[in-house]
């Protein structure tokens, strides 16, 4: 049997944490069997290497290895992707198609984010796990496949079962053996090792001398919460590698690359609940700032319009803004609009482009604090990214959460090149 050390070398896995070694050892032990394995761990802990290890040490190693991110495939097409479809099964099904389970016959399928599978797909998956049988979408002919399944999740499937989102019977089928990968914050000794490895890789890639952390910086690395785990650590190492010309990194410099999530204040904000309250509050604050920014833009536009020709067109004015500034009662003497929007009109002009920016091509754009706007924009980008991540890239859900229309979100994604 291969040793844990060999496997770590082969798969470039860094770290000596006993829990990590145990996880790799378990993968080695189950590899020669056909037992289904569930890999559990937060996002960014390195779950993806486990199914690869299992596949490469199994009798299926010359067969296909297919990794599927269940959270990234739209609900409407996932059955067809996984199990295939018959010609004419649905509009656009112009020919018969093989699904991943058919293609991977004799090999291994890795179902990442398995908790995201729709319930109907879970039923099909259960059947495959039980006897290898499946039906193509739109077909009544039972087919057989011989596939080893390794699944992974970063959500607590017990919670999902409680909420009726995940089938309990499927859970037990998938997790005949479970392999748990510890979060980075529980691998204190490994954090600096990993950072050094990434720093060396990036130094090489960007042709810069490697970074060096002082004692306090190392301590900060170890104290930080790393909610994005190894992926986040790698990201931070890359940013510092590219941006810092002084290659001696102290805690103050390092701190400036770490998000201020209270994540590095475990004593103040220790439990998960407090932390999520904290981030909700922050999100609300950002939202208020965006609203202010967009009001400011409307105001700029309005003022410019008034300066140019003494009038403003009703349809150009955000009605919310008008009522915010001038209250709801009419007071014609305060502002000289030819067509002052009437409250009824305001209410009917339901705007979904609350965050839309008017084209920034007017006279005094430079006099407005550009920097502040830039910073707000940065926050906006962050918020959008966060929401997209949280909603697994589903734009509809993200837009809903952000309180903007899907179309606006789409435009923002293009505008910021996200
Ligand atoms: N032990 C490790 N040593 C080196 N790099 C690692 C290790 N674990 C994970 N990584 C890297 O961290 C990133 C995230 O890993 P990944 O397997 O995608 O996480 P997950 O699937 O759990 O979200 C990848 O770039 C991976 O190469
Ligand atoms: Mg992953």
């Amino acid at each position: 049997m291969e040793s844990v050390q060999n496997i770590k070398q082969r798969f470039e896995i860094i770290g000596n944490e006993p829990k990590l070694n145990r996880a790799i050892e378990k993968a080695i032990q189950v590899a020669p069997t056909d037992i289904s394995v569930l890999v559990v761990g937060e996002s960014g802990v390195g779950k993806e290497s486990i199914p690869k290890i299992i596949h490469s040490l199994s009798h299926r190693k010359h067969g296909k290895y297919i990794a599927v991110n269940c959270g990234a495939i739209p609900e409407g097409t996932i059955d067809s992707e996984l199990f295939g479809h018959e010609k004419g099964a649905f509009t656009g099904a112009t020919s018969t198609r093989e699904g991943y389970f058919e293609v991977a016959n004799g090999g291994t399928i890795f179902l990442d984010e398995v908790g995201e599978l729709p319930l109907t797909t879970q039923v099909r998956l259960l059947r495959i796990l039980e006897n290898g049988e499946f039906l193509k979408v739109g077909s009544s002919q039972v087919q057989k496949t011989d596939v080893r399944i390794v699944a992974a999740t970063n959500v607590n499937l017990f919670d999902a079962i409680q909420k009726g989102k995940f089938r309990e019977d499927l859970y037990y089928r998938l997790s005949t053996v479970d392999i748990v990968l510890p979060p980075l914050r529980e691998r204190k000794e490994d954090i600096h090792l990993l950072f050094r490895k990434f720093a060396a890789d990036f130094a090489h890639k960007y042709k810069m001398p490697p970074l060096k952390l002082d004692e306090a910086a190392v301590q900060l690395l170890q104290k930080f919460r790393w909610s994005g785990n190894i992926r986040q650590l790698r990201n931070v190492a890359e940013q510092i590698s590219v941006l810092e010309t002084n290659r001696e990194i102290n805690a103050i410099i390092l701190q400036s690359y770490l998000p201020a999530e209270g994540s590095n204040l475990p004593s103040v904000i220790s439990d998960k609940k407090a932390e999520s309250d904290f981030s909700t509050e922050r999100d609300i604050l950002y939202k208020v700032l965006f609203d202010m920014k967009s009001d400011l833009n409307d105001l700029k536009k309005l003022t410019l319009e008034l300066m140019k020709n003494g009038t403003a067109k009703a349809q150009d004015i955000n009605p919310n803004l008008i009522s915010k500034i001038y209250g709801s009662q009419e007071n014609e003497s305060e502002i000289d609009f030819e067509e002052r929007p009437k409250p009824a009109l305001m209410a009917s002009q339901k705007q979904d482009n609350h965050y839309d920016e008017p084209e920034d091509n007017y006279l005094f754009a430079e006099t407005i604090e550009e920097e502040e706007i830039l910073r707000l924009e940065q926050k906006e980008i962050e918020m959008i990214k966060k929401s997209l991540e949280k909603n697994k890239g589903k734009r509809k859900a993200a837009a809903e959460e952000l309180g903007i229309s899907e179309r606006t979100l789409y435009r923002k994604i293009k505008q910021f090149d996200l």
Side-chain angles (χ1 to χ4, degrees):
M1 203 180 277
E2 287 233 21
S3 74
V4 172
Q5 280 316 320
N6 281 349
I7 289 297
K8 280 194 203 165
Q9 263 180 16
R10 236 169 91 186
F11 289 85
E12 297 193 348
I13 296 172
I14 310 286
N16 299 311
E17 161 62 42
K19 285 182 211 158
L20 173 74
N21 290 344
R22 179 70 194 118
I24 296 171
E25 194 178 274
K26 248 178 153 176
I28 297 171
Q29 286 171 327
V30 295
T33 71
D34 268 342
I35 292 174
S36 7
V37 175
L38 182 66
V39 187
V40 183
E42 291 177 16
S43 180
V45 292
K47 294 188 290 297
E48 270 158 59
S49 51
I50 299 291
K52 287 183 192 154
I53 295 171
I54 292 175
H55 178 72
S56 71
L57 298 182
S58 75
H59 64 86
R60 298 170 178 271
K61 66 180 171 208
H62 299 299
K64 282 226 159 58
Y65 172 81
I66 295 183
V68 185
N69 186 341
C70 304
I73 305 173
E75 239 187 275
T77 55
I78 192 152
D79 282 355
S80 148
E81 299 251 346
L82 292 176
F83 309 102
H85 62 246
E86 276 311 329
K87 183 176 173 175
F90 46 85
T91 332
T94 49
S95 57
T96 301
R97 195 199 130 148
E98 286 187 347
Y100 299 137
F101 277 100
E102 192 170 347
V103 176
N105 194 3
T108 308
I109 279 196
F110 171 44
L111 297 174
D112 203 0
E113 294 188 34
V114 74
E116 299 291 317
L117 282 181
L119 281 164
T120 48
T121 313
Q122 291 179 29
V123 178
R124 289 174 179 267
L125 180 58
L126 187 62
R127 184 163 178 193
I128 286 210
L129 277 156
E130 271 167 356
N131 49 26
E133 287 179 2
F134 70 99
L135 297 172
K136 276 198 169 93
V137 176
S139 162
S140 54
Q141 200 193 335
V142 178
Q143 286 183 252
K144 279 223 150 215
T145 186
D146 167 29
V147 172
R148 164 77 170 281
I149 296 176
V150 181
T153 181
N154 57 21
V155 299
N156 186 339
L157 286 182
F158 284 115
D159 281 355
I161 292 170
Q162 293 302 317
K163 289 185 191 140
K165 287 184 182 156
F166 204 82
R167 292 182 64 107
E168 192 171 4
D169 47 7
L170 178 60
Y171 171 77
Y172 288 113
R173 270 286 175 182
L174 284 174
S175 63
T176 311
V177 166
D178 61 4
I179 294 184
V180 182
L181 286 175
L184 190 55
R185 80 189 76 87
E186 287 173 20
R187 297 172 56 183
K188 298 273 182 240
E189 301 296 315
D190 289 346
I191 298 180
H192 191 201
L193 270 182
L194 280 157
F195 185 90
R196 276 209 300 258
K197 154 85 161 68
F198 295 140
D201 289 352
F202 291 123
H204 182 73
K205 180 172 170 190
Y206 298 113
K207 303 192 171 48
M208 306 262 271
L211 299 171
K212 225 181 130 8
L213 299 180
D214 75 7
E215 189 69 25
V218 173
Q219 278 181 19
L220 177 56
L221 267 192
Q222 293 176 340
K223 244 178 32 195
F224 191 69
R225 193 165 186 282
W226 299 113
S227 45
N229 293 293
I230 299 172
R231 187 176 290 116
Q232 186 183 17
L233 178 69
R234 188 169 183 271
N235 210 309
V236 167
E238 180 162 27
Q239 286 181 41
I240 302 178
S241 299
V242 175
L243 297 174
E244 288 299 322
T245 40
N246 180 359
R247 310 303 277 178
E248 303 271 324
I249 306 301
N250 61 32
I252 295 165
I253 299 174
L254 174 60
Q255 179 75 67
S256 71
Y257 287 88
L258 303 179
E261 276 187 339
S263 349
N264 49 345
L265 301 170
S267 52
V268 185
I269 298 157
S270 55
D271 63 332
K272 264 202 144 81
K273 186 171 172 319
E275 205 165 279
S276 76
D277 281 357
F278 183 77
S279 77
T280 314
E281 240 170 64
R282 196 181 47 161
D283 288 353
I284 293 171
L285 242 149
Y286 287 163
K287 229 179 146 166
V288 170
L289 286 172
F290 292 148
D291 285 351
M292 280 171 61
K293 178 193 168 195
S294 101
D295 285 353
L296 183 67
N297 277 327
D298 285 346
L299 205 57
K300 285 194 290 183
K301 203 177 169 190
L302 179 62
T303 316
L304 178 71
E305 196 70 26
L306 285 168
M307 272 165 60
K308 273 208 301 221
N309 47 23
T311 61
K313 285 192 226 84
Q315 69 266 26
D316 287 339
I317 302 164
N318 182 335
N320 296 330
L321 180 71
I322 301 289
S323 48
K324 242 186 251 170
I325 302 170
Y326 300 104
S328 45
Q329 77 270 56
E330 305 272 288
N331 193 344
E332 300 294 334
S333 65
E334 277 190 36
I335 186 165
D336 181 25
F337 290 137
E338 262 182 354
E339 303 169 83
R340 172 80 182 278
K342 298 283 176 282
L345 176 65
M346 296 178 191
S348 71
Q349 284 184 328
K350 194 181 170 303
Q351 298 230 342
D352 70 350
N353 55 345
H354 201 52
Y355 296 110
D356 278 6
E357 264 169 77
E359 277 147 45
D360 257 329
N361 54 359
Y362 27 94
L363 292 173
F364 50 103
E366 305 98 82
T367 64
I368 304 292
E369 256 111 26
E370 284 293 355
E371 251 176 53
E372 238 160 278
I373 294 192
L374 268 178
R375 244 180 295 150
L376 277 172
E377 207 151 81
Q378 201 51 48
K379 291 293 171 210
E380 189 175 13
I381 293 172
E382 252 173 50
M383 239 180 116
I384 292 175
K385 272 193 187 156
K386 215 173 114 189
S387 180
L388 281 170
E389 231 163 72
K390 193 169 139 203
N391 292 293
K392 311 265 155 46
K394 288 178 189 141
R395 286 197 197 129
K396 193 161 179 229
E400 222 161 80
E401 186 182 71
L402 290 164
I404 58 178
S405 73
E406 221 180 329
R407 190 182 55 79
T408 304
L409 179 60
Y410 181 68
R411 212 172 45 69
K412 295 269 170 207
I413 290 171
K414 282 190 93 168
Q415 177 189 346
F416 298 134
D417 202 15
L418 298 178

